[in-house]
Amino acid sequence: MRTHRLFVTAATVLALAACSGGGAVDGHPGGSGVRDPYFPKAGNGGYDIGHYDLALDYAPADGPGGDAEGDTEAGHLSGTATITARATRDLSAFDLDLKGLDVEKVTVEGRDARFNRAGQELTVRPADELKDGETFRVTVRYSGEPETITDADDSGEGWLPTADGAVGLGEPTGSMAWFPGSHHPSDKATYDVAVTVPEGLGAVSNGELRDERTRGGRTTFTWHTAEPVASHVVTVAVGEWKTDRSTTDHGLPVYTAVDPTQADASREVLKQIPEIMDWAQENFGPYPFSSTGAIVDRDEDAEYALETQNRPYFPGAPDTVLLVHELAHQWYGNSVSPKTWRDMWLNEGFATYAEWLWEEDHGGDTAQETFEALYDGTYYDDEDENDSVWAFPPADPPDAAHLSDSPVYQRGAMVLHKIRETVGDDAFWELLSGWSAAHRHGNADTADFTAYVEKSAPDEDFTEIWADWLRGDGRPEAP
């Protein structure tokens, strides 16, 4: 797994020295952040997390069902996070990402650990230093009113109160609002999540539901995810749900949770999940996870859909194309995750191209027709939207505020279409499935992808595609 370059602020060093009481120190602080180009404080150095065990207790602000009029107070969250990790160097201290909330106690290997807070950093000093390669367990007990974080593009992430509960949406760094961890996609882990809520509400998370039991007017839902997850696609959705369990013709479990107000509008599109999954496996290779499904909340509960692992989240009933997009992310973005947030186009370009392929296979425009409309500036009704496709290269967004802009999605998909034109359909389908297999449950960046394409088609020249379509400024010359 990954060993990150390590650094620590002078303030943190002084704080650790103050709480250590002196004495010989062989290890070093692990360091805050992995120096992501857009979120340098995201993630942490000096260790690698293997598993999270989260025990959460949530009480909405206005009682069991929240406020039917749409009150958006956060309510109260109590949590115990037990994290199993491996040190990647000798450690005298290490950091966890946690924004807001009150930390009540931290233990490492069962012994009380000293800790301090600075911004989103929770710095922990274990009673005994950790040795390189040592597996250790840290437990953090915390509580409070979790935050909704305003992202650089002004969208809300983190813990979002809803009309009847709340939802945790983490892309890119919002998961630190409701549990401590190493919140960067380069540090994946497996998860057990137990969520206790007032009786009458449900709690949906990733993976498979292992247990549901009610005691004393509160119900605990226990979820298990056996495959690695990047923390930004971990979710907890609390509310009133109509749930449905089924299987595809190939035996894949399907679990859907739908707000009752969205049940009628969602019914027909969610019936398409088995068909979409079969189609996706034909194009992208074997499904990388052990279940699928969807979460459909109310329209006003969030501003966007998100590819939360196993079951994407939607604010309101999705249409078929959006459902295809978020399910395609299970291969591209969730199983093959970006090494840094600069590689976001590898998520969104692939998922957008999946939309084009679905339309092409189901009586809509061909991918070539979609490509030409984008190039000619006739795809959108609004001229500014058409121009925005060329605002910057998909592989190099100018800053965090532009990670979800049109070039990352549409021009990213255009790069894939240019590759398809170059290698031909048969080789392109092999490339799609081969890429998802080569980095299954791992991380990859743009350099990995370009090298993979060149190795897959050694007789072809991709110089122009990389220079003009992937990394070049403005609209390339007419294809």
Side-chain angles (χ1 to χ4, degrees):
M1 299 181 81
R2 297 149 303 281
T3 301
H4 305 305
R5 184 179 177 184
L6 310 174
F7 69 97
V8 65
T9 65
T12 301
V13 171
L14 291 174
L16 293 172
C19 71
S20 67
V25 176
D26 296 324
H28 299 276
S32 59
V34 295
R35 296 196 174 182
D36 184 276
Y38 302 111
F39 304 97
K41 284 289 190 179
N44 295 288
Y47 65 90
D48 197 45
I49 294 179
H51 185 72
Y52 290 85
D53 192 327
L54 305 178
L56 308 176
D57 190 302
Y58 183 63
D62 294 289
D67 185 344
E69 299 299 320
D71 191 300
T72 56
E73 293 182 33
H76 188 270
L77 178 69
S78 299
T80 299
T82 302
I83 300 167
T84 303
R86 180 178 58 85
T88 57
R89 62 173 296 171
D90 292 345
L91 288 176
S92 60
F94 58 90
D95 279 27
L96 297 168
D97 302 318
L98 182 65
K99 187 172 177 62
L101 301 171
D102 298 317
V103 176
E104 297 153 8
K105 185 175 183 179
V106 180
T107 64
V108 178
E109 287 297 283
R111 299 184 64 187
D112 286 353
R114 297 184 181 185
F115 62 89
N116 66 282
R117 307 287 300 276
Q120 71 183 54
E121 300 300 322
L122 168 62
T123 303
V124 178
R125 183 181 179 88
D128 297 312
E129 292 185 13
L130 302 169
K131 300 301 182 183
D132 185 6
E134 179 180 351
T135 297
F136 64 95
R137 182 172 293 177
V138 54
T139 299
V140 181
R141 195 172 69 207
Y142 59 99
S143 63
E145 183 177 304
E147 295 185 18
T148 295
I149 298 169
T150 301
D151 202 357
D153 64 2
D154 291 328
S155 61
E157 58 173 298
W159 192 261
L160 282 63
T162 64
D164 58 353
V167 60
L169 299 178
E171 189 176 85
T173 62
S175 294
M176 66 180 175
W178 53 282
F179 68 96
S182 184
H183 292 297
H184 189 266
S186 60
D187 197 352
K188 294 184 173 183
T190 57
Y191 282 76
D192 285 293
V193 181
V195 189
T196 301
V197 294
E199 185 176 1
L201 296 182
V204 185
S205 189
N206 311 85
E208 289 74 56
L209 182 62
R210 288 292 179 85
D211 189 46
E212 176 184 341
R213 61 182 64 191
T214 300
R215 293 176 180 168
R218 300 184 66 78
T219 305
T220 300
F221 299 81
T222 303
W223 295 84
H224 174 72
T225 309
E227 299 90 6
V229 191
S231 68
H232 71 276
V233 288
V234 175
T235 190
V236 166
V238 176
E240 298 175 3
W241 306 109
K242 292 188 69 172
T243 61
D244 183 75
R245 303 187 202 196
S246 61
T247 57
T248 68
D249 290 343
H250 296 93
L252 180 68
V254 180
Y255 185 100
T256 60
V258 180
D259 186 284
T261 66
Q262 302 299 311
D264 290 342
S266 301
R267 187 171 294 110
E268 293 305 316
V269 68
L270 295 184
K271 285 182 180 178
Q272 293 182 274
I273 290 177
E275 177 188 359
I276 293 170
M277 295 301 296
D278 288 346
W279 172 87
Q281 290 189 85
E282 290 176 7
N283 287 279
F284 310 144
Y287 181 58
F289 305 119
S290 50
S291 65
T292 187
I295 302 168
V296 182
D297 227 331
R298 305 184 193 196
D299 290 324
E300 66 274 14
D301 285 339
E303 302 170 13
Y304 51 86
L306 187 64
E307 61 270 21
T308 43
Q309 191 156 305
N310 300 91
R311 52 192 53 82
Y313 174 87
F314 301 95
D319 60 22
T320 301
V321 171
L322 180 57
L323 183 59
V324 168
H325 181 105
E326 303 302 345
L327 289 175
H329 270 311
Q330 306 305 308
W331 284 261
Y332 309 112
N334 292 10
S335 178
V336 184
S337 300
K339 282 185 179 178
T340 77
W341 286 108
R342 178 171 285 141
D343 308 303
M344 180 82 155
W345 83 273
L346 288 171
N347 297 13
E348 301 302 345
F350 272 88
T352 300
Y353 201 70
E355 297 178 29
W356 299 10
L357 294 177
W358 175 269
E359 294 281 9
E360 183 173 82
D361 288 347
H362 293 83
D365 289 345
T366 66
Q368 181 65 30
E369 289 170 332
T370 302
F371 177 94
E372 291 173 356
L374 283 164
Y375 186 84
D376 294 338
T378 59
Y379 184 79
Y380 298 106
D381 293 331
D382 182 83
E383 184 176 347
D384 289 340
E385 279 194 273
N386 287 311
D387 290 342
S388 71
V389 173
W390 313 106
F392 56 83
D396 193 20
D399 52 47
H402 292 86
L403 285 180
S404 295
D405 283 5
S406 184
V408 174
Y409 289 67
Q410 301 292 5
R411 192 169 166 186
M414 295 176 87
V415 171
L416 296 179
H417 191 72
K418 293 298 294 182
I419 295 169
R420 179 182 175 185
E421 286 183 328
T422 301
V423 303
D425 279 2
D426 289 345
F428 183 71
W429 307 135
E430 291 183 11
L431 189 151
L432 282 181
S433 59
W435 172 249
S436 65
H439 295 279
R440 182 182 175 97
H441 300 319
N443 298 82
D445 61 16
T446 299
D448 294 323
F449 179 70
T450 57
Y452 182 84
V453 172
E454 291 171 355
K455 184 178 180 180
S456 299
D459 297 330
E460 304 295 345
D461 184 2
F462 298 95
T463 303
E464 181 180 329
I465 296 176
W466 306 149
D468 296 344
W469 292 89
L470 181 59
R471 298 190 177 95
D473 290 320
R475 185 170 69 167
E477 293 296 324

